[in-house]
Amino acid sequence: MESTAAAVIVLAAGAGTRMKSRTPKVMHEIGGRSLLVHAVNAAQGTSPGELVVVLRHERDRVAAHLAEHDPEVAVADQDDIPGTGRAVQCGLERVTATEGTVLVTYGDVPLLDPATLRELVAEHEGAGAAVTVLTARVPDPTGYGRILRSEDGSEVLGIVEHKDATAQEREIDEINSGIYAFDIEVLRDALSRIGTDNAQGEMYLTDVLGIARADGRTVRALVTADVMMVEGVNDRLQLAQLGAELNRRTLERHMRDGVTIIDPATTWIDADVSIGQDAIIRPGVQLHGACDIGAEAVIGPDTTLRDTEVGEGAEVLRSHAVLAVIGAGASVGPFSYLRAGTDLGARGKIGGFVETKNARIGAGAKVPHLSYVGDAEIGEGTNIGAATIFANYDGVDKHRTVIGNQVRIGSDTVLVAPVEVGDGAVTGAGTVVRKNVPPGALAVNAVSQRNMEGWVQRRRPGTAADDAARAASAERSGPIAGESEQDDREEQGNR
Ligand code: UD1
Ligand code: MG
């Protein structure tokens, strides 16, 4: 049976004091998404009729964050009456449904998945229950609400909060996850009847179970074996623990889907990353944001990619890329930095110690060594010689450089933007290109070289260089060349 809730209410009004953070708790991230977005995704995964998030602490900031993710999600504001019961009551004010099932979840429980929520709805509706609570058995139940059952354990009688529990009740190891399916009418009615007469002076949502039960309705529990899935984040330790667990689950999913991950212990992959079949992820790789890795690509070792697309069969070795596109069969690295707007064509190459930014590099084009390529367009099959610099910044503005197809840029060329080099053109080593180069032309402007023979012997006598030069001359058995006055004069003039 495919079950859908009429509404999901996600509670996120709490202050999250134990995080000791300037950032609202539910905006902290694991796996590249905020805790709240994880919770909202799980809720949306069940295709509910309505979705409401209850806010209070840092309301505007959290609401803006939520709208960025999905402007359709409704926000309900909790007033200053505290407690989960009041939070749900405020949430219900934004729910229009008058019958059916309402799911309640928490904004700080990031590992909960839609399948479990659907199972909860199915169990709940299948049994005709008024309330079904998701529970778990844990080794240390301290702090949690405990599930009170009938003597034979078959029926749920209610929930008692840790602070209100007797010593005997504290022995119970079945805890309330805080995730429930409710019949909406029962929920509205019971909430109107709960008070704040408890250890914390709050409206407890958990009291709804006792009220429903006292009214003779069916109250059930669905016990999950997956404790991590219902665990909440209260402090930074739990944030790290659940982050690691989410990562472990993400890696497992990719491995089951046919991705080789050599060393899961040093690999971090965000929840939104997609990876094609037979890709190989080597040790020390971090894939953040919305990376999309093609089939048979090889990433790493020691590579970090954010929001980067890697084509089929491409290889990225010991590099860092942000908002870049790496074409099929292309290769990158080692030790290169691809910044936003880098678009490397199919079978192209960005070699070692290269920085690129806002640069479209054509199919089969190569930037093999020690270069900076910024605000550039490079045509197909073009080769950029070692240590070429695209001087894109004149100190005030940034300018573009356009290089044609099959161009050969000589080593140590400086391309002073804005400038264009036509198809098939060549630049000599060390050229400073300030004027456009027409197709097929050779551009050179380096000063021609003069050798001042014997300079070392005259100016640095007795040095190791002098000894080496003399030994070399002796071997040639000729006189040491160039001891003329004229050479010295020329040299002075050239200082
Ligand atoms: C609650 C449950 C407890 C359960 C535990 C599971 C109640 C009374 N107790 O306890 O049985 O074992 O969760 O983690 O429900 N929130 C609001 N408004 C509020 C108070 C809380 O929106 O006024 C939200 C929080 O942001 C959070 C969630 O509700 O997402 C739980 O709040 P928290 O204070 O952690 O509840 P617990 O006291 O831990
Ligand atoms: Mg809590």
Side-chain angles (χ1 to χ4, degrees), residues 9-22:
I9 298 175
V10 180
L11 305 189
T17 345
R18 279 174 285 168
M19 291 297 282
K20 302 203 174 138
S21 176
R22 294 177 183 182

Side-chain angles (χ1 to χ4, degrees), residues 349-431:
K349 179 186 173 89
I350 292 174
F353 303 100
V354 174
E355 177 178 337
T356 60
K357 182 213 75 170
N358 195 13
R360 187 194 297 273
I361 300 169
K366 294 179 177 170
V367 188
H369 329 275
L370 301 159
S371 292
Y372 172 65
V373 182
D375 299 313
E377 189 141 344
I378 297 175
E380 293 182 8
T382 285
N383 190 80
I384 306 296
T388 291
I389 301 297
F390 286 61
N392 59 330
Y393 184 48
D394 61 15
V396 181
D397 295 310
K398 303 276 171 74
H399 303 279
R400 275 190 85 70
T401 299
V402 180
I403 311 281
N405 298 331
Q406 303 298 342
V407 169
R408 298 290 175 263
I409 297 292
S411 295
D412 205 21
T413 294
V414 179
L415 296 147
V416 183
V419 74
E420 292 184 18
V421 179
D423 291 347
V426 176
T427 69
T431 303

Side-chain angles (χ1 to χ4, degrees), residues 31-33 269-275 287-293 305-310 323-324:
R33 288 181 195 149
I269 299 182
D270 279 355
D272 286 331
V273 172
S274 64
I275 311 180
L287 303 176
H288 295 298
C291 284
D292 184 359
I293 310 299
L305 308 180
R306 177 176 295 280
D307 299 322
T308 288
E309 190 183 317
V310 178
L323 277 165

Side-chain angles (χ1 to χ4, degrees), residues 18 25 106 108 144 232-234:
R18 279 174 285 168
K25 174 168 80 175
Y106 289 172
D108 58 6
Y144 287 104
V233 172
N234 293 302

